[in-house]
Amino acid sequence: MTSTRDEYQQSMKALAKYLGQRDMPDRDLSNLLDRQTEGTCQWLTNDSEYKAWRAGLPDVPKLLWLSGRPATGKSTLAAHVVKHLDVCNLDCSYFFFKHGDKLKSSVAALLRSFAYQMASTNPQIRQEILSMHNNGVVIDADDDKTLWRLIFVSRIFRTDYHQPYFWIIDALDECTEVNSFIPMMAKIDKQIPLRVLVTSRPSSAIQSLLDHEKLSVVIKEITVERSYQDIRCVLEANSRFLPTDDPMASEELIIKILDKSNGCFLWATLVLKELETTHSEQQILEVLESVPSEMDSLYKRILDGMAVLSRNQKLAQAILRWTVCAVRPLTVVELKEAIRLDLGEIIPRLGRTIEAVCGHLIHVDRHSRVQLVHQTVRVFLIQEDLASEFAIDKIKAHSRLATVCLGYLCSDEMKTSRYRRRGSATRSANRSIFAEYAALYYSEHVVRSSSADDNQILQLNSFFGSNVLTWVELVVQAGNLYFLTQTAKNLKAYMERRAKYRSPLGTEVQAVNAWINDLIHIVTRFGRSLLQSPSSIHFLIPPVCPHSSVIYQQYREYPRCLEVAGQAEREWDDRLSCITHNDCRVFAIACRESRFAIGLSNGRVVLYHTSTCQEAGQLVHGEEAVRFLEFGSSTSLLASGGRRNIVLWDTVARTQVWTVAIQQRLLTLSFNQDDTSLVATTVANCTLFWNVEDGQELEAMHVSDKDENASSEYQRPPTHAKICAELDLLAVGYRQRPINIWDLEDRSFVGQFHKSAPDVYPGPLLIAMTFNPNPDINLVAACYGDGELVIFNPWNQKQQAITEANAQILAASPDGATLATGDGSGTIQIYDFETLRLLYRSTAYDFDIRAIAFASNNVRFFDIRGDHCNVWEPSALVRQLDLGDGSSEYCSEGIIPEVGTAGIRQWDESQAITAMTTTGDGTLFCGKENGSISTYNDKTGQQEQELYNHAANTAISFLVWNSRDNVLASVDRSSRYQIRRITRKLSGQCVAEEPLVDQIVGEAIRQVLFSPDGKLLLISTLTTDLVWSIEGHQNASLNHESRKCWRWVDCSSNGQKLLLVVDGKARCFNWQDLDECALPTSIQITLEDCDYPPIAGLVRAPYLLAFCAFFREAPGDKGQARLRLWSPILPAARNPESRVKISADFDEIAKDVKVIIGFHNTLLLFLDCNGWICSINGEDRSGEKGYTRHFFIPYGWHCNGDLLFAVTANGSVALVREAGIVIFHRGLDFEERVVMGDGIGIQAARTEPQWRSPVLENHVDSPRPADRWDRVEIHGRRGSSQ
């Protein structure tokens, strides 16, 4: 039972972190129930309409709306219903909206809370959301539409319900996005047994939304009579506190309070508290006569009473200011610290002081959170015409709160030793309880403060110049990147607003703007690594940032920091990656949640992980080019289409569901909204439907080019078509004719959009069109041959916006906020979909763009052109998203941000490095695409000289160096290989002598390997293995009929033996003649569960006299990965009993391995799937399943094709990047232990990152075998298939 409970708690903890659920929902509920008086609210649960709603009787609406005036107990009624449903053993989720509380005022917050609560009680829902987490599905915690689609529509509503489920939503009128929530409710399938109760004030806006969505509702009003019942119950329960002992007098007093309360709970409660301070009948009468019956007047009376105690005014003002303006409720201890920082005063017993000095307008709940007694208090205090010492000017108040927060962030408490002498736990223990609030929310106050306050700029500049890295670490430790992104958005909005009234010049302003720019890029470029190791912001991130960035310039000389040499970036690059497919063209792309797919001209579909861009598998569509791809919106289905066939796939199982032949060319392919059917429109004016389950063709729909004036139609072939599953609409375009809109649900004609006048023919040529996928927006974008881009409403065909774009390709983000266009010159432009305001532009003059697709986070997008796919994540898009929520109300004028512009970094592809090896003495040999071999310095990463050349423009596939005989073997793509001796002049310059061997093999070379003494070279192809001497003689050959995968490795202590790992077995051969050693049986080193596992890496460890093999069944298939270490190396003497024994297996670790790099001393280095350089100590026999994480490589540097690595003698790691080399120095000095554990996905129990002394632990001076550096083979990314 304990393990089950622990597993449940671990699952819920992982879900809370994944969903961004910071505040547990039961806190508000328990506070309300604590304050509820026994016997109140019974009228509702005894009501017949409520009982019918709860029972789900036929013809009873599933939505119950409880409407009441302010302060009439609506929240308490909602809490009572939750308690009542729980007593009835019914599943229920609840949410209490609170205006002014950023964590409790959005639809996204409600959806996250409901998802968390439903997962806590339903194992199937819990597993569905956990699978999203484990599969790397990225969700935007603030995007309600994405949350609704990915979590509720696609998963929660598809689970099995054995009994009704209830949602209780309080104060819907305090939700900032009620306009988006009601349409969501209306789309819930009637078959789902979900019943919803909402409370709110009477609202014509909510009523209009319900009417518009045709949503049936039961409306119950909290009448004065119903309130009287509960108020009387409360007064009677507290009658002992009334200043009278006479029961009759007490009853008369209750009646007087009831008569004057007008059904307002809050009024009655406040009067009751005031009566508790009276001592005579005369005082009682004075209170009842003087207390006004209107709440505003009552509040004013309380403020006047507070003003009498002048010595407490300053404290009361501070308490009210922090309580009203704080982004979330502060705890008593947080408020105590805030007041200390604000006023310089320490209040020992603040919890008792609050209500005494604030006239009962503020109370402390059971969770020690300081709250207003009611939301109407906030509204009253921030009135502009309120004449009181306690009136709150929002702008001035936020300015003051921002000053306090920034003052703390600049303080010594937030400083971190640059030498990392203390652990994070120690640092956190020394920080104020106020640190978290200041770090997470200071920007919320800045964006709401005055633009005229220069003190804010000075403080921001001081903060960014001192403790900004510690702040980043603290923020990321919260478990997500939301607050970093939100801070950048808020500060960007503040600076743009300020620039309208203040000069944007000045070093402070420029520094703040530079840091805002860097923050966005740090999140997009390094976010994943930051989450895995928040402390990496100090020593690992600044060195890999562009040299022009402020973080690099400010922290490049941080003590003992990672050092990056060689090819470096000057500016931030918005293109994260470029995925190239040689010898074929990319024709189609689609993206959904955690996967994206590209369709190739060779008939293959390649699946990738959206977050890492690692290949996740391949599907074979057929021999025709794949021109259409479409993912299901809520299933794992993928449809691929060509000229002749449509194939439906299950992407999880990677199996074909069905295939159908088509007679006419496709124009568009799409799933319907619930993924039950596949829809396609062809050039024959026919829209076809297939049942997803079995591929059965359903009744087709015929369309045509309508002439609305003549009520006739034309049967000309269409040129374009687009389907919108969310709206059930089809748009069809004809050559130089208007766009026809059809309703797919009732198969009717909707209307035509004429870009020019309706009677003008021919019209402009339609180039492309797309629907906005957000059903709340209802728009279509179309671009034309005259260069204009138009936005129009498909229902009434009215034009909404127009601009000059010269676009050929259109794509909309999943949330409908942005529109991407691509043109024939390779330029991408991003617009606001509704207004066509230009947000971003990128230029790349290489190929015309075939298609664009957005990822589910609405920021990352992909374009395909020529033979490659570009991955983009522009910081400009992150800035633009949601700039208005929460901050726009503080901007007096509309802000039009500047357009972000970026270009793809250009480089000479003929200079691309395709092979690399190291000498161990400070030199790297590199082969290039143009057939040349050059030397590079392994300290600076700079090219020193060109040594020699193969045939022009014939890429080098392999380079192998032997240090004993100073010989270098080079192999090019034509299977020509040379062996040359390399000498070094006194000046240090290398000289390549004439070739010792210069031969061509008749088939592709897959591996080359020098013997330890450098006298023999092994050449391995698919069917033949050859051994050549460096004098040019062929010593031996070995033929093979067929083999799927193999690798050779030198395996004996005296260099006489070779080990061939082929088809899952190891065989031993002599170097000199390739005679097989007569062992009694083949050495079994493979896996029991795979017949022929491909070998992804095989390297020797000279220090360990062992070798390591890395197996992977398929690209991206972590489940089949294995990592094994074998020892000892076979002895020189022939021993029939010799066997290769497994000394260690690291199969759990292998799941995260992307590339095996090689050995440094006893450390096996590898690149994990998240881009971290990691190591396993081959001498570690502790049995602990774990590894050490050192430093990470930026995503865009390691995501393209085969990777070329080398390890230098001092432990630096060299990586080929395009036409240059990047050298990471001192990277292995950073150590962070990762222990593999059981739990949700792969859990990492991390120790505090430490810097070890390079003098003590690098083993630079340790003796090593002379042939050490010829053991790690680095192969070409273009020439090698292994």
Side-chain angles (χ1 to χ4, degrees), residues 11 45 112 138 168 207 274 469 540 589 593 613 619 727-728 756 899 921 928 931 948 976 989 1114 1119 1167 1171 1198:
S11 299
T45 48
R112 293 197 306 270
V138 180
I168 310 302
Q207 185 64 65
E274 189 161 348
L469 298 189
L540 302 183
I589 185 166
E593 296 182 10
C613 291
L619 309 171
L727 298 176
D728 254 344
S756 53
V899 176
D921 62 359
K928 299 188 177 183
Y948 63 93
R976 177 190 180 188
Q989 187 178 25
L1167 178 75
H1198 68 80

Side-chain angles (χ1 to χ4, degrees), residues 476-545:
V476 175
Q477 285 172 348
N480 61 63
L481 302 171
Y482 165 78
F483 291 103
L484 283 184
T485 303
Q486 191 63 33
T487 296
K489 293 178 187 176
N490 288 336
L491 295 183
K492 182 68 175 176
Y494 172 77
M495 296 300 290
E496 287 173 343
R497 188 177 80 241
R498 187 181 185 279
K500 298 175 70 68
Y501 311 104
R502 289 282 192 275
S503 170
L505 303 178
T507 55
E508 293 86 359
V509 173
Q510 293 175 2
V512 172
N513 281 326
W515 267 107
I516 293 170
N517 182 56
D518 278 10
L519 279 178
I520 291 294
H521 281 97
I522 287 169
V523 171
T524 57
R525 186 75 66 90
F526 310 121
R528 194 181 188 91
S529 301
L530 260 178
L531 288 173
Q532 293 168 330
S533 179
S535 62
S536 64
I537 189 63
H538 293 278
F539 300 100
L540 302 183
I541 288 179
V544 295
C545 291

Side-chain angles (χ1 to χ4, degrees), residues 275-295:
L275 287 173
E276 291 175 9
T277 64
T278 61
H279 304 286
S280 66
E281 291 186 7
Q282 183 61 32
Q283 290 177 335
I284 293 172
L285 292 175
E286 288 177 358
V287 168
L288 290 178
E289 290 176 1
S290 62
V291 172
S293 58
E294 294 297 326
M295 289 305 303

Side-chain angles (χ1 to χ4, degrees), residues 988-999:
Q989 187 178 25
C990 292
V991 177
E993 299 181 357
E994 290 300 311
L996 300 172
V997 178
D998 190 346
Q999 299 285 340

